Amino acid sequence: MNYLVVGSGLFGSVFAYEAAKRGHHVTVIEKRGHVGGNIYTKEIEGIQVHMYGAHIFHTQSKEIWDYVNQFAEFNNYVNSPIANFNGEIYNLPFNMNTFNKLWGVITPEQAKAKIEEQKSELNLSGPPKNLEEQAESLVGFDVYQKLIKGYTEKQWGESALKLPAFIIRRLPVRFTYDNNYFNDRYQGIPMGGYTQIIEQLLASDLIDVKLNVDFFDGRDSYLNDPNTKVIFTGMIDQFFDYKLGDLSYRSLRFETEVRDVDNFQGNAVVNYTDAQTPYTRIIEHKHFEFGKGNKNKTVITREFPQDFHRGDEPYYPVNNQQNKQLYAQYVNLARQTCPNVLFGGRLGLYRYYNMDQTIMAALELVKREFE
Ligand code: FAD
Ligand code: UDP
C-alpha cells in the first residue's frame, strides 16, 4: 500500500517515518514552503526562532521522550514564564511566588485561606459552569482578574463566561515555591531546533516530500487512486467542503523582529495579562537555548490572537460543546463516505494536542494501520 500524507507537521511526519520503516512508499504534500507545520524553527542571528509560537517539549511518557530523543538532543530548559500585568510582574504558573507577591502571604496555609476567603465572597456553588467559575474556584478573584481574565479573553476572543473550564485546567496551581510551568517528568528544547527532527523523520528514500502543494488543488485525483491511502492532517471541515457547517478555530499573527540588544526581556516567555495590550505574549527565542547565538542581537516575537476566517491559519481548535458535536458528525461522515482516508493531528482530530500527544496519536494510528 502507498500512502499520501497531507501535511508535514509532527503528526504527518511521524506517520510517514513509521510507514517508510515498514517498507511503504509515502508521498507527503505540504501547502507551506517548508516542512514541520507549527513546530518549524529557523535560524536567525545564530538563534533558533520558533516561527509559529513558543514550543516547549514536555511529557510524562518515557516512551515518547525516548522516541523524540532519537532525532535530537534536548537541553534542560524549564519553562518559567513571567506575567506582566500593567507593569506588575508575577511568576507563573500560579504558585507561592505569585501568591506572595499578590497578597504578602508566606505559607501555603495562608495562601489557601486567602483563596477560600475570596471564594466565599463570590458565592460559587456546584461544579464550575465556565472558565471564569473554574478559575475563581481554583485561585480566587485577584489571580483571576490580574492573570487570567485579560489574557484568556484576548486569546479566545470570547467572554470567560462562555469558555469551557478545561482550558484553564491545563495550568498547574501549586502551593509550593515552584515556577516550573509543567508538571511533566521530561521537558526540554531540542538543541539546534525542531526542524531537524522533522527532516530526519522525512529523510527515507521511500518518502517523497512536495512543498507548496495544496491537497485541495488535486483532491479528486488523490482520492481516486485505489492504491493509495490518504492520511489527512488538515482541517476536517474543509476536507468535506464545510458540508455540515464550519468548525471554530482561533488564529494568531506573529510579529518577529531582530533587536540590537543582547537581552531584551530577561526571560524566554513574558505573558501580557491585561486586556489592553493587543498581544498575549513576547517570546525572546535565545533564552530557550540559554543565550546561544549572536551576543549583540536578539530575536523577539509578539503573538497577537486573531479571529479565524476561512483561509486563515487555524492554530487552535475551539473545543466547546457545539464544536465537539459538529466534529462528531464529521467523523461519522468520514466513516460512511471515505474509508480510505484517515484523519490525524491537531486539525484532523480537532483536538488541542501538545506535541507529545500528537506523537502518541500518530503512533496509535501506526499501530492500528500496521499491526
Ligand atoms: P500542524 O503542525 O498544524 O501540521 C499540519 C500541516 O498540514 C501544516 O504544515 C499545514 O500547512 C499542512 N496542511 C494543512 N492543510 C493542508 C492542505 N490542504 N494541503 C497540504 N498541506 C496542508 N505543544 C507543546 O507540546 N508544547 C508547546 O509549547 C506548544 N506550543 C504551541 C504554541 C502554539 C502557538 C501552537 C499553535 C501550538 C503549540 N503546541 C505546543 C502544539 C503543537 O504545535 C502541536 O501539537 C503540533 O504541532 C501538531 O502537529 P500536527 O501535525 O497535528 O499539525
Ligand atoms: N492563561 C491565562 N494566563 C496566562 C497564561 C495562560 O489565563 O498567563 C490561560 C489562557 O486561557 C490559556 C490557557 O490558560 O488559553 C492555557 O494556557 P497555555 O499556556 O497552556 O496555552 P497555549 O500555550 O496552549 O497557548
Side-chain angles (χ1 to χ4, degrees):
M1 175 64 73
N2 295 333
Y3 290 91
L4 174 77
V5 172
V6 181
S8 66
L10 191 55
F11 189 98
S13 300
V14 167
F15 185 88
Y17 173 81
E18 293 295 333
K21 215 164 84 177
R22 289 161 175 80
H24 298 277
H25 283 271
V26 186
T27 302
V28 178
I29 56 170
E30 168 56 59
K31 68 178 178 183
R32 297 182 190 173
H34 60 76
V35 293
N38 292 337
I39 70 171
Y40 174 64
T41 49
K42 179 174 149 187
E43 190 176 311
I44 302 176
E45 300 291 350
I47 299 162
Q48 289 297 326
V49 175
H50 299 209
M51 296 305 287
Y52 301 94
H55 276 76
I56 300 110
F57 201 96
H58 57 99
T59 187
Q60 279 290 29
S61 161
K62 178 158 178 7
E63 185 194 341
I64 298 298
W65 183 244
D66 289 344
Y67 188 85
V68 78
N69 272 267
Q70 296 175 87
F71 309 105
E73 192 178 339
F74 280 69
N75 69 16
N76 58 335
Y77 175 82
V78 170
N79 197 31
S80 310
I82 299 286
N84 181 327
F85 175 75
N86 296 327
E88 294 169 27
I89 298 293
Y90 294 96
N91 286 113
L92 293 171
F94 316 119
N95 72 77
M96 286 306 297
N97 290 306
T98 328
F99 306 139
N100 171 265
K101 177 96 188 253
L102 257 176
W103 302 316
V105 293
I106 306 282
T107 65
E109 212 179 335
Q110 291 166 344
K112 285 179 187 167
K114 188 79 187 165
I115 290 171
E116 281 311 313
E117 179 193 313
Q118 299 209 335
K119 274 168 65 176
S120 65
E121 284 168 20
L122 288 166
N123 265 332
L124 297 169
S125 62
K129 290 185 279 302
N130 52 52
L131 193 149
E132 176 166 304
E133 287 190 12
Q134 175 70 79
E136 286 177 340
S137 79
L138 283 172
V139 284
F141 180 77
D142 290 342
V143 176
Y144 173 66
Q145 286 297 326
K146 290 194 168 186
L147 302 181
I148 299 176
K149 186 176 183 343
Y151 185 101
T152 295
E153 294 186 344
K154 284 192 289 193
Q155 172 77 352
W156 297 100
E158 183 80 273
S159 158
L161 292 169
K162 289 193 177 159
L163 287 166
F166 86 89
I167 294 177
I168 200 68
R169 287 199 299 265
R170 282 170 62 85
L171 305 188
V173 177
R174 286 198 198 107
F175 294 93
T176 53
Y177 288 91
D178 177 0
N179 296 325
N180 184 348
Y181 201 59
F182 303 115
N183 284 327
D184 290 338
R185 167 80 178 78
Y186 306 99
Q187 180 173 179
I189 298 281
M191 290 189 270
Y194 284 94
T195 304
Q196 61 178 326
I197 296 177
I198 299 291
E199 284 170 352
Q200 287 182 60
L201 286 167
L202 298 176
S204 164
D205 290 342
L206 291 175
I207 301 176
D208 188 13
V209 180
K210 295 180 177 164
L211 299 178
N212 300 306
V213 176
D214 191 323
F215 170 80
F216 294 105
D217 293 337
R219 180 197 160 105
D220 291 344
S221 66
Y222 297 130
L223 293 178
N224 291 337
D225 178 352
N227 298 318
T228 301
K229 232 179 192 180
V230 175
I231 309 297
F232 186 81
T233 74
M235 294 156 60
I236 189 167
D237 54 347
Q238 185 184 18
F239 181 91
F240 289 107
D241 205 16
Y242 308 100
K243 195 167 169 165
L244 305 174
D246 290 53
L247 288 164
S248 309
Y249 302 89
R250 193 74 181 140
S251 195
L252 295 169
R253 180 167 59 82
F254 300 101
E255 271 183 16
T256 296
E257 53 177 309
V258 179
R259 289 284 185 111
D260 293 328
V261 291
D262 173 30
N263 187 357
F264 174 76
Q265 64 182 14
N267 205 35
V269 183
V270 177
N271 290 359
Y272 286 77
T273 57
D274 62 288
Q276 290 74 36
T277 306
Y279 42 87
T280 45
R281 44 191 173 190
I282 300 183
I283 309 305
E284 186 171 11
H285 301 267
K286 62 164 42 169
H287 297 306
F288 287 125
E289 292 188 274
F290 309 111
K292 209 177 133 274
N294 189 333
K295 288 288 163 241
N296 304 313
K297 307 254 183 197
T298 195
V299 183
I300 60 167
T301 302
R302 289 189 170 79
E303 206 169 299
F304 297 80
Q306 306 279 300
D307 287 339
F308 172 84
H309 305 284
R310 284 187 194 179
D312 296 342
E313 281 295 341
Y315 289 105
Y316 293 96
V318 180
N319 293 101
N320 61 20
Q321 221 35 50
Q322 194 187 340
N323 284 304
K324 275 193 198 158
Q325 280 167 10
L326 182 55
Y327 169 70
Q329 290 170 16
Y330 275 117
V331 171
N332 269 336
L333 185 62
R335 274 202 202 108
Q336 286 158 14
T337 58
C338 40
N340 254 0
V341 181
L342 303 171
F343 292 85
R346 235 192 193 198
L347 302 174
L349 299 171
Y350 198 67
R351 306 244 165 91
Y352 193 162
Y353 273 162
N354 289 323
M355 289 179 276
D356 62 327
Q357 296 167 307
T358 299
I359 296 175
M360 227 177 272
L363 293 177
E364 273 162 23
L365 177 64
V366 166
K367 239 187 220 163
R368 285 202 300 278
E369 187 61 14
F370 299 115
E371 284 174 18

